[in-house]
Amino acid sequence: YYVERPPTEKNCYETVVKAGALIRIKAPRQMGKTSLMSRILRHAEANQYVAVPLSFQLADAAIFSDLDKFLRWFCASVGRRLRLPNQLSERWDEIFGSKDNCTAYFEDYLLPSISKPLVLGLEDVDSVFAHPYIAAYFFGFLRAWLESAKTNELWKQLRLVVVHSTEVYIPMNINQSPFNVGLPIELLEFIPAQVLDLAKRHGLNWSEDEVAQLMKMVGGHPYLVRVALYQVARQETTLDELLQVAPTEAGPYGDHLRRHWWNLEQRAEMAEAAKRVVAATGLVRLEPIQAFQLHSMGIVHLLGNEVEPR
């Protein structure tokens, strides 16, 4: 049921096999970021590369309390997925500092231990953004590793796929940030033709009219479209019935809507901005950070310098 969004996949497959490659995938939640990353990693494995997915949501909250602890966790996690023995106690020398130790662990141990290029898929890096001190240093030396790949044969073996939902508001030197280099990918919603194709894959004999009815409610949001098609295809409901209950607590999108509601309740300024957008009869101009944050949460569409509700 994966729907390709040309030329996104082709560009990613071509990029990941290049020395020192960086692919940055950004989109709100449930837009297909993880599915795309999985396909990139599988493509890398098909080209005889070693692919390692790592989600920062797996890290305990205590890991983010200290840079040294975070970098030790990062090195150990990559090593575990490469099925290599943990050698942090032997190779981590406090006199050199955590950043230098982390780089040396990759340079002297992890990369030389595998005979193939390594593709690291870093998912949920939003968890790191919440800790600006750690984020600035961590992403800074990821950029340094990529710069080393231009001249260092060992670092040419590394490729990075970075996946995140929110805008990056970390005070970083432009020359030290990995978020202004590499291949940027922003996943868009499905267009009507893609929704119609997906409906057919679900065994539904829909016309463009039915697609238009569904998209009037949920747009081309991949997750919301997929939920609707799945339930109608299983004859759990009809399209008309689903559209009636879709925006209610009893509908299939209750969890999705409650998550948005909860997120807004935690941030009063975002809730007020969302109210302005919903109450308006046309496009609304918000403060840039508010606009990007609501867009990253999946609540609004950006149209130039203005927004409208999703």
Side-chain angles (χ1 to χ4, degrees):
Y1 296 108
Y2 182 80
V3 177
E4 290 202 352
R5 285 172 266 196
T8 295
E9 288 79 9
K10 178 175 180 290
N11 290 342
C12 290
Y13 297 158
E14 291 176 349
T15 299
V16 76
V17 296
K18 297 178 181 177
L22 168 65
I23 300 172
R24 297 182 285 112
I25 304 173
K26 175 186 168 294
R29 284 188 58 176
Q30 300 174 320
M31 286 288 288
K33 300 186 298 298
T34 299
S35 295
L36 175 58
M37 187 187 82
S38 296
R39 280 159 177 76
I40 295 171
L41 297 186
R42 283 209 294 273
H43 179 79
E45 289 176 330
N47 282 271
Q48 306 303 309
Y49 293 3
V50 177
V52 172
L54 179 62
S55 170
F56 288 102
Q57 283 193 345
L58 297 175
D60 293 340
I63 296 296
F64 295 99
S65 64
D66 177 78
L67 179 63
D68 189 76
K69 186 180 294 186
F70 173 79
L71 295 181
R72 282 174 177 265
W73 173 85
F74 177 64
C75 289
S77 297
V78 175
R80 172 181 284 183
R81 284 156 181 77
L82 290 173
R83 302 189 182 281
L84 295 172
N86 186 329
Q87 295 191 2
L88 286 172
S89 58
E90 298 95 330
R91 295 176 176 273
W92 207 270
D93 192 331
E94 293 182 2
I95 196 171
F96 292 112
S98 52
K99 291 187 295 178
D100 190 61
N101 278 320
C102 181
T103 298
Y105 198 77
F106 270 78
E107 196 168 54
D108 300 337
Y109 179 48
L110 296 182
L111 291 177
S113 295
I114 55 178
S115 57
K116 303 174 182 178
L118 171 63
V119 183
L120 275 183
L122 305 181
E123 193 175 12
D124 299 308
V125 300
D126 309 77
S127 301
V128 187
F129 296 161
H131 306 274
Y133 176 78
I134 290 176
Y137 281 105
F138 177 62
F139 293 119
F141 72 72
L142 287 186
R143 169 70 180 268
W145 290 357
L146 295 174
E147 292 295 327
S148 296
K150 295 178 180 178
T151 56
N152 185 300
E153 291 299 320
L154 185 62
W155 284 107
K156 286 181 180 179
Q157 297 292 85
L158 180 66
R159 288 99 164 109
L160 294 176
V161 182
V162 177
V163 178
H164 61 106
S165 298
T166 57
E167 284 297 310
V168 186
Y169 291 111
I170 305 169
M172 293 185 67
N173 185 310
I174 192 172
N175 297 314
Q176 297 175 341
S177 172
F179 296 102
N180 53 14
V181 293
L183 175 67
I185 299 293
E186 184 156 4
L187 294 180
L188 304 176
E189 292 193 348
F190 294 157
I191 61 175
Q194 291 171 320
V195 176
L196 182 60
D197 172 59
L198 192 57
K200 290 178 180 177
R201 296 194 214 176
H202 282 75
L204 297 173
N205 186 27
W206 277 16
S207 67
E208 293 180 358
D209 288 340
E210 279 113 342
V211 168
Q213 290 178 55
L214 176 62
M215 295 187 73
K216 185 177 180 181
M217 176 65 72
V218 302
H221 190 289
Y223 169 75
L224 303 183
V225 167
R226 177 81 167 90
V227 167
L229 297 179
Y230 178 78
Q231 293 203 359
V232 175
R234 287 177 56 87
Q235 299 183 342
E236 296 176 7
T237 185
T238 66
L239 176 60
D240 288 340
E241 291 169 347
L242 182 139
L243 294 178
Q244 286 294 319
V245 298
T248 72
E249 287 280 355
Y253 303 125
D255 289 341
H256 175 83
L257 295 171
R258 278 190 294 274
R259 176 173 60 82
H260 280 315
W261 181 255
W262 186 88
N263 284 334
L264 289 174
E265 281 199 318
Q266 309 312 304
R267 307 170 72 177
E269 75 284 0
M270 288 293 99
E272 286 302 317
K275 284 181 181 178
R276 282 185 55 200
V277 176
V278 172
T281 56
L283 299 179
V284 177
R285 185 159 188 163
L286 299 174
E287 290 294 323
I289 291 181
Q290 288 184 338
F292 277 113
Q293 286 177 334
L294 287 177
H295 171 66
S296 298
M297 291 167 69
I299 291 177
V300 302
H301 284 298
L302 292 175
L303 298 171
N305 292 321
E306 298 172 312
V307 302
E308 68 175 4
R310 292 187 89 123

